């Protein structure tokens, strides 16, 4: 209540004015939650609310400062429309390259010539991740040989998924297997990688890539595999060309030689024998360790058609197969 007094000529007169003071048009912004923890490559949200007062009636534009490099900020509603009371969801997308640490992000609301600020405390943590390694990183084995390596995985940043294993670059004739596949969640563990080189695997050095996949991530490790010559044998027919008259018998001596530790029996068989002719081996197989001989006998029947026949001799032992050509000529 304001009293106004008028004085003059020795006279005083008063009147009153009733003054009501109201709040000026204004608004405030706030954030909920005011603290966020987000892993690299992840995202988080905070609701930005605007509260108008004093008859404020304007749209409010939102912006953010203090955002770390590699991180993006967006608002679901921007501006918040007049009269300025409402909310907008702020989404923070943390990039893989954003440095770990804590950042103070200032959210500013501007409207009707007025500015209001609030803050969001952002903590960037390590993204879920894992690594794979192989020990040893190189292995040498002969043809028909085998060897083992250990594939290990380690996790970080809350990674928690199974990890599947595979191998590429394996030479033809060689088989790779894993004792544990996948490595179960949370993905930290080890698996024995077994390499079985086939007898026909070409000698040389190969780069085998072990690939580990889990939780949307892929990691690789490399193993150097050297294949050397393994145990082997040879089969030699004497003679390699034979002529036999119909109604007669002919023989070929199959001599076998072994090397580099070969120690298996060698089984013999033949294809291409003409109709009317019987063929046999004695002995069969050539017993272990495979060095010896076998007599291959042709009993040519009188009905066998005269001519020259290509006989394929197959010798098999220790997982290895060799073929040798023998020429049989049947005469009248």
């Amino acid at each position: 209540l304001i009293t106004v007094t008028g004085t003059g000529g020795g006279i005083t007169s008063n009147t009153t004015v009733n003054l009501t003071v109201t709040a000026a048009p204004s608004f405030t912004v706030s954030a909920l939650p005011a603290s966020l923890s987000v892993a690299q490559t992840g995202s988080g949200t905070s609701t930005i609310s605007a509260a108008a007062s004093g008859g404020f009636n304007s749209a409010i534009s939102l912006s953010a400062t203090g955002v770390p490099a590699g991180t993006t900020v967006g608002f679901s509603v921007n501006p918040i429309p007049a009269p300025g009371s409402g909310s907008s969801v702020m989404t923070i997308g943390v990039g893989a390259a954003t440095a770990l640490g804590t950042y103070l992000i200032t959210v500013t609301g501007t409207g009707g010539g007025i500015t209001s600020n609030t803050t969001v405390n952002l903590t960037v943590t390590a993204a879920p991740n894992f690594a794979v390694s192989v020990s040893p990183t190189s292995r040498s084995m002969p043809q028909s040989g085998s060897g083992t390596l250990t594939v290990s995985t380690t996790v970080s940043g809350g990674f928690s998924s199974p990890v599947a294993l595979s191998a590429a670059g394996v030479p033809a004739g060689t088989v790779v297997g894993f004792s544990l596949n996948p490595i179960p969640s949370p993905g930290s563990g080890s698996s024995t990688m077994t390499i079985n080189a086939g007898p026909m695997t070409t000698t040389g050095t190969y780069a085998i890539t072990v690939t580990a996949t889990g939780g949307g991530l892929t990691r690789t490790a490399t193993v150097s595999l050297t294949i050397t010559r393994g145990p082997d044998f040879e089969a030699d027919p004497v003679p390699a060309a034979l002529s036999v008259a119909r109604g007669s018998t002919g023989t070929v001596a199959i001599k076998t030689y072994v090397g580099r530790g070969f120690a298996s029996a060698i089984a013999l068989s033949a294809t291409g024998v003409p109709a009317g002719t019987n063929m046999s081996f004695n002995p069969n197989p050539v017993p272990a360790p495979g060095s010896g001989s076998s007599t291959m006998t042709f009993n040519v029947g009188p009905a066998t058609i005269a001519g020259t026949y290509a006989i394929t001799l197959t010798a098999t032992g220790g997982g290895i197969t060799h073929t040798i050509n023998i020429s049989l000529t049947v005469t009248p």
Side-chain angles (χ1 to χ4, degrees):
L1 182 65
I2 299 174
T3 300
V4 179
T5 301
T7 302
I11 301 169
T12 298
S13 178
N14 297 323
T15 189
T16 60
V17 177
N18 200 39
L19 174 65
T20 300
V21 179
T22 61
S26 186
F27 71 91
T28 59
V29 291
S30 62
L32 185 68
S35 294
L36 288 175
S37 181
V38 182
Q40 292 166 320
T41 73
S43 64
T45 61
S46 179
T47 299
I48 308 301
S49 298
S53 61
F56 182 89
N57 187 12
S58 295
I60 299 173
S61 297
L62 301 174
S63 61
T65 57
V67 180
T71 292
T72 60
V73 170
F75 297 94
S76 62
V77 177
N78 196 11
I80 295 173
S85 290
S87 63
S88 177
V89 176
M90 179 176 72
T91 299
I92 301 174
V94 179
T98 299
L100 306 184
T102 299
Y103 303 89
L104 188 64
I105 297 178
T106 299
V107 178
T108 299
T110 303
I114 300 170
T115 296
S116 179
N117 297 322
T118 189
T119 58
V120 174
N121 206 45
L122 172 66
T123 300
V124 177
T125 61
N129 198 4
F130 76 93
V132 63
S133 62
V134 181
S135 179
T137 57
S138 63
R139 174 69 75 186
S140 179
M141 65 186 65
Q143 295 164 318
S144 299
S146 64
T148 61
L149 307 96
T150 300
V151 179
S152 300
T153 53
T154 56
V155 302
S156 60
F159 183 93
S160 183
S161 296
V163 177
L165 303 173
S166 62
V170 181
T174 293
V175 177
V176 170
F178 299 94
S179 64
L180 184 62
N181 194 11
I183 295 173
S185 180
S188 180
S190 63
S191 177
T192 299
M193 175 180 172
T194 301
I195 302 176
N196 292 306
M200 302 306 293
T201 299
T202 303
T203 59
T205 299
Y206 302 87
I208 296 179
T209 300
V210 177
T211 299
T213 303
L217 304 176
T218 297
R219 302 289 182 261
T220 61
T222 302
V223 175
S224 178
L225 173 65
T226 299
I227 302 295
T228 59
R229 292 192 66 186
D232 204 354
F233 72 90
E234 294 181 5
D236 186 20
V238 180
L242 180 67
S243 181
V244 183
R246 286 185 294 190
S248 300
T249 299
T251 60
V252 175
I254 308 299
K255 297 185 178 182
T256 55
Y257 309 90
V258 302
R260 292 186 298 280
F262 184 92
S264 298
I266 299 174
L268 304 172
S269 62
T271 58
V273 179
T277 294
N278 293 321
M279 185 278 305
S280 62
F281 297 97
N282 185 30
N284 191 16
V286 177
S291 180
S293 65
S294 177
T295 299
M296 182 180 190
T297 300
F298 293 95
N299 292 307
V300 181
T304 300
I305 298 173
T308 298
Y309 299 89
I311 309 296
T312 300
L313 170 67
T314 300
T316 303
I320 302 170
T321 298
H322 293 299
T323 58
I324 304 96
N325 294 324
I326 296 174
S327 177
L328 171 65
T329 300
V330 176
T331 61

